Amino acid sequence: MKDSIRRRLQQRFWERFAPLYDPFMAVVARSYPRLVSRMVDRIESDADILEVAAGTGIVSLKLAPHVARVMGTDLSPKMIARANHKLKQQRRNGVAFAVADAYRLGCDDASFDATVCVNGLHLMHDPARPLSEMARVLKPGGVLLCATYLHAQSLRARFFSRVIKLGGVKVANEFTIGSMGQLIAGSGFALESQEVLSDIMPLGYIVAVKPDRQ
Ligand SMILES: C[S@@+](CC[C@H](N)C(=O)[O-])C[C@H]1O[C@@H](n2cnc3c(N)ncnc32)[C@H](O)[C@@H]1O
């Protein structure tokens, strides 16, 4: 199947799921508070952040009070509409949301101090390409904070992976923490740390740095 068709199908799923996403995640995503606090510990307070595959902005809105600016982007206009709705309700400064495809971010080279991608990488069929886009828009020495559910990490994970797929989620990559790390290291980043957070399915969290010279 062509990449553009895959992305259209991916987008269509999230457009339909957008109204249910926040209530679903409120029940499922138990590791997010821990994840966000680890991210806050790693990011400087004057940082300019880009979130890729930001969905309804759960992570961007939590990071916003701790950094200078956050730009949250996602392929699905309806997910971004919900993020904007929450932004209006919460009246947070320094946050903006925009529709953008992770494969073509449309941002300038070396324009962010950190890129964040949470539960997006497992949906991307050619994840090395979005990762090199994230490297491109990072300043040298900038940091990638990447987390994703690890569908192949354990038997329990494989079980929930099946359930999620039956629900219509189009999973492209079934990572273990090892394969996720290899992918990120192979996309030009230097791995700094990796960790598995417990959740309904193990959540891999990797911090990696764009080297000063590539
Ligand atoms: C599981 S949600 C995660 C949303 C958010 N990061 C979170 O953790 O709550 C996956 C998101 O990835 C987005 N997505 C999938 N493929 C994408 C792509 N190629 N570019 C940008 N976003 C994409 C979907 O639209 C969806 O909003």
Side-chain angles (χ1 to χ4, degrees), residues 77-98:
K78 289 204 174 138
M79 295 292 268
I80 288 296
R82 297 202 81 81
N84 274 322
H85 179 68
K86 291 194 289 186
L87 176 58
K88 215 165 154 188
Q89 284 179 330
Q90 295 181 19
R91 298 179 189 194
R92 287 223 187 278
N93 291 322
V95 195
F97 291 104

Side-chain angles (χ1 to χ4, degrees), residues 1-16:
M1 198 189 293
K2 274 172 70 176
D3 244 28
S4 55
I5 298 174
R6 281 203 179 110
R7 258 172 282 163
R8 212 167 309 142
L9 292 174
Q10 191 68 250
Q11 187 189 48
R12 198 177 297 165
F13 174 82
W14 294 103
E15 289 287 280
R16 271 189 275 130

Side-chain angles (χ1 to χ4, degrees), residues 20-21 26 29 41 46 80 83 91 106 109 114 131 133 135 154 166 168 177 200 207 211-212:
L20 300 175
Y21 187 73
D41 286 346
D46 60 353
I80 288 296
R91 298 179 189 194
D109 292 358
L131 280 168
E133 264 296 87
S154 61
L166 286 171
I177 191 71
I200 186 142
V207 179
D212 276 335

